[in-house]
Amino acid sequence: MKTPQQKNNQRLIVLIFALSVIPFLMAWYLKENPELLAARTNNNGALITPPITTELSDFVGFDQFSRDNMKELAGHWVMINVIPKAECAAVCSKALHDTKQLLLMMGKDLVRIRRIAVLLNEVEPNVATTWWQDDTRLLKANANAALLQKIHTLQKSNPPDGLLILMDPLGNLMMHYAPGFDPYKVMVDLKKLLAVSQIG
């Protein structure tokens, strides 16, 4: 027959074992159900899980300025304006304008951020120039085949006009915003990311 002390010791051992196993079970459950974790975040944009990796070579400079400065993407947070068609209509034009204004709203953090317009279709340079004629610091790129596939995978359909994607300093596509996004909400997300980021 067990003494009260032995029973207490046995209960203590069971309790210690349970406390050590529960965190592993919770971690496994969240790994199997990542949408539960995403649902608890306060992001305004849609988190890309897992992030989609890119290479600098995926972005092919559209003009000489962009080719000379494409290396600026590395090590910076990047706002990617996706232009899927051979025209930049009102939604597309507004998205370009909004990211330009958004960069100015970032204050001292603007040096940590770059902007790029990524064209998914062939566009005549003289036509495209009219889309960003007053936007002298905007980088422009054609997407190579690998990047095209990654963006299509992200959307699971043809990407819409006005799509905005955030890329981290390591080249991971990690958040996206639907056309007509609110630049103030994007700013809130960016400020959170910059506050916790050790790079870029």
Side-chain angles (χ1 to χ4, degrees):
M1 183 176 177
K2 293 180 181 177
T3 66
Q5 182 62 44
Q6 287 174 321
K7 289 181 179 178
N8 286 339
N9 289 346
Q10 193 174 34
R11 288 193 195 101
L12 185 60
I13 290 169
V14 170
L15 180 62
I16 291 171
F17 176 76
L19 289 174
S20 64
V21 168
I22 287 171
F24 290 102
L25 291 175
M26 288 178 65
W28 172 82
Y29 185 74
L30 289 173
K31 178 182 176 291
E32 295 299 313
N33 300 276
E35 68 279 359
L36 297 177
L37 196 58
R40 291 180 173 270
T41 63
N42 294 320
N43 301 320
N44 293 300
L47 205 60
I48 300 170
T49 51
I52 299 173
T53 59
T54 68
E55 302 293 336
L56 192 57
S57 57
D58 290 343
F59 301 87
V60 182
F62 181 78
D63 55 19
Q64 193 59 50
F65 169 78
S66 300
R67 287 189 286 274
D68 291 343
N69 292 280
M70 199 58 65
K71 59 185 179 296
E72 286 289 312
L73 298 183
H76 290 95
W77 289 88
V78 182
M79 292 186 284
I80 302 174
N81 285 105
V82 178
I83 303 178
K85 301 175 182 175
E87 60 177 348
C88 184
V91 175
C92 164
S93 181
K94 182 179 184 305
L96 286 170
H97 174 76
D98 285 347
T99 55
K100 181 181 179 182
Q101 297 305 309
L102 174 55
L103 188 60
L104 297 175
M105 291 191 299
M106 293 303 296
K108 63 181 176 61
D109 285 326
L110 68 84
V111 296
R112 301 174 65 187
I113 305 165
R114 296 294 181 267
R115 295 170 56 236
I116 187 168
V118 173
L119 290 78
L120 306 188
N121 264 296
E122 291 293 326
V123 181
E124 289 295 326
N126 61 322
V127 173
T129 302
T130 63
W131 303 343
W132 45 65
Q133 56 188 350
D134 298 323
D135 203 342
T136 56
R137 301 302 301 168
L138 177 70
L139 293 170
K140 288 81 68 179
N142 290 308
N144 71 0
L147 184 57
L148 268 173
Q149 184 177 2
K150 290 167 187 175
I151 292 175
H152 278 276
T153 299
L154 164 66
Q155 285 295 297
K156 298 180 175 59
S157 63
N158 291 328
D161 264 347
L163 173 67
L164 176 66
I165 301 174
L166 291 187
M167 183 168 75
D168 72 18
L170 299 177
N172 299 308
L173 307 181
M174 46 81 61
M175 196 175 291
H176 65 99
Y177 299 83
F181 59 85
D182 182 341
Y184 289 95
K185 290 183 177 180
V186 180
M187 180 182 70
V188 169
D189 284 347
L190 264 174
K191 283 187 176 291
K192 287 180 188 174
L193 291 167
L194 291 168
V196 299
S197 175
Q198 300 299 312
I199 52 175

